[in-house]
Amino acid sequence: MPVYSMTGYASAQHSTAHSAPEGEARNQPVTQLGLEVRSVNSRFLDLTFRLPEDLRQFEPALRELLGSKLKRGKVEVRASVETSSTSSIPEATPKLLQKLNAAQDNIRAWLPSASPLSVADVIRLAAAEQGTSRDWSADVMPLAEKVLKELLSARQREGARLATMLLGHIAQLRSLAEQAGPLVPKLVEQQRTRFMERWKEAMALTEGSTLPETAQDRALTEATAFAIRIDVAEEITRLNSHLDELERLIKKGGEIGKRLDFLIQELHREANTMGSKSAALELTHISVDMKVLVEQMREQVQNIE
């Protein structure tokens, strides 16, 4: 299965011409239905709809459609209905004019001071009548399915880019872990030699050049305790195990965002522990480089569904 990002955008339009008398075909108005969907990262699926009044009735069906394909993300759905014609002015039919005239006479009979309808008022009401007279039942859902398909494609393309980036970071972390492994035995041996030299110097100042067996044992004990304190073998083993699981999940795909986020936290913990146990500048640099990579991975994993 592919890896999906929660970030994406898609839009589509559908145009429909209104019926008009044959002689008026050139001024036939055209209504355009527009639909766009924006998606960003979120812990859960959060759907928001911005629909005109004519399309409010389709919100439950749109919510069900999106919920069947999207599992996480903050998703905003916007729709618009625009009517235009060659003259860009909606036609006020005689029937509408009769209704408006009758309504105006009735209102002014009770409210003589009411302002008469202007040409702009008539045009606005004619546009509103054309918008409400259109039945979008056969158009909204097919258009929504088309937009959703494009959105999923966009999220898949972004998810593939994120997966490639994460796999590259995993390879870099493995390389750093391989560099850290041989440093620990070398540090332990250096520290053991240093302990023995210091004890020999101390004993030489007090009792000559002879090093008692107890002093030597104590020096070895101190060296062993130091080796235990700086040993990062367990951290490297766990880190490689987490990297194996990360790589397996990324190649598997699907809904892996939350599991990846947990593993990233574990990676950060192991890198921190390695830094706290560091007894050499080289190991400190490796730990810092690891934490930088892990932090970069954390930011990108937040966008994976």
Side-chain angles (χ1 to χ4, degrees):
M1 294 179 65
V3 174
Y4 287 96
S5 168
M6 286 185 282
T7 302
Y9 173 82
S11 65
Q13 292 76 37
H14 175 76
S15 298
T16 302
H18 291 260
S19 60
E22 184 177 351
E24 301 178 7
R26 290 179 300 173
N27 295 325
Q28 183 178 353
V30 176
T31 300
Q32 184 179 70
L33 169 65
L35 191 65
E36 65 176 25
V37 182
R38 303 173 185 269
S39 174
V40 295
N41 63 309
S42 177
R43 292 185 61 191
F44 308 100
L45 181 60
D46 182 8
L47 300 176
T48 304
F49 293 88
R50 301 285 186 268
L51 306 178
E53 289 299 325
D54 297 349
L55 304 180
R56 288 288 184 186
Q57 58 181 313
F58 298 103
E59 181 174 332
L62 290 171
R63 186 178 296 275
E64 182 179 358
L65 175 64
L66 294 172
S68 66
K69 298 296 183 180
L70 306 176
K71 304 306 177 184
R72 293 178 64 199
K74 182 176 177 60
V75 182
E76 182 179 11
V77 180
R78 288 183 177 271
S80 61
V81 177
E82 298 180 357
T83 302
S84 62
S85 66
T86 55
S87 63
S88 72
I89 299 177
E91 179 184 6
T93 63
K95 184 177 180 180
L96 174 64
L97 292 174
Q98 289 176 359
K99 289 182 179 180
L100 293 176
N101 188 52
Q104 178 176 246
D105 291 342
N106 186 40
I107 292 173
R108 298 192 71 182
W110 289 91
L111 302 172
S113 60
S115 300
L117 286 170
S118 65
V119 175
D121 293 333
V122 174
I123 292 175
R124 177 174 53 80
L125 292 170
E129 184 187 48
Q130 290 178 358
T132 55
S133 62
R134 181 72 173 91
D135 182 10
W136 295 105
S137 300
D139 304 313
V140 171
M141 297 312 297
L143 188 64
E145 292 176 357
K146 177 182 177 182
V147 173
L148 178 58
K149 184 177 180 180
E150 293 180 1
L151 177 67
L152 290 173
S153 297
R155 286 167 59 128
Q156 182 177 344
R157 290 193 299 271
E158 178 65 13
R161 187 189 68 80
L162 293 177
T164 300
M165 185 277 295
L166 291 173
L167 290 174
H169 281 29
I170 288 174
Q172 294 182 57
L173 286 170
R174 290 191 191 280
S175 177
L176 290 173
E178 290 177 0
Q179 297 174 35
L183 291 177
V184 176
K186 186 185 300 183
L187 290 172
V188 170
E189 183 59 31
Q190 292 175 355
Q191 191 65 20
R192 179 179 179 279
T193 302
R194 188 177 298 114
F195 272 123
M196 294 301 299
E197 290 175 352
R198 289 180 180 177
W199 276 100
K200 288 178 180 179
E201 291 174 359
M203 296 306 298
L205 292 175
T206 57
E207 300 180 5
S209 59
T210 304
L211 181 64
E213 189 69 23
T214 55
Q216 185 178 10
D217 292 342
R218 184 173 178 183
L220 293 174
T221 301
E222 292 290 339
T224 302
F226 173 80
I228 294 174
R229 288 197 302 271
I230 69 169
D231 186 12
V232 294
E234 291 185 8
E235 285 74 13
I236 293 176
T237 299
R238 287 194 295 267
L239 187 141
N240 282 321
S241 176
H242 297 327
L243 293 177
D244 290 341
E245 182 64 10
L246 277 169
E247 188 170 359
R248 185 189 70 82
L249 288 173
I250 293 171
K251 291 181 178 179
K252 173 186 175 184
E255 301 169 31
I256 59 174
K258 292 183 178 180
R259 298 182 68 180
L260 292 181
D261 187 52
F262 171 76
L263 289 171
I264 291 297
Q265 295 179 29
E266 295 300 309
L267 283 179
H268 193 268
R269 180 178 294 109
E270 303 305 336
N272 263 337
T273 304
M274 288 179 60
S276 64
K277 288 186 173 183
S278 175
L281 189 60
E282 296 91 335
L283 200 57
T284 300
H285 287 165
I286 290 175
S287 174
V288 172
D289 290 343
M290 282 184 172
K291 286 189 282 188
V292 170
L293 288 171
V294 171
E295 189 59 33
Q296 292 174 352
M297 294 174 69
R298 185 202 302 275
E299 293 177 1
Q300 300 304 323
V301 162
Q302 300 299 319
N303 294 318
I304 294 180
E305 186 177 48

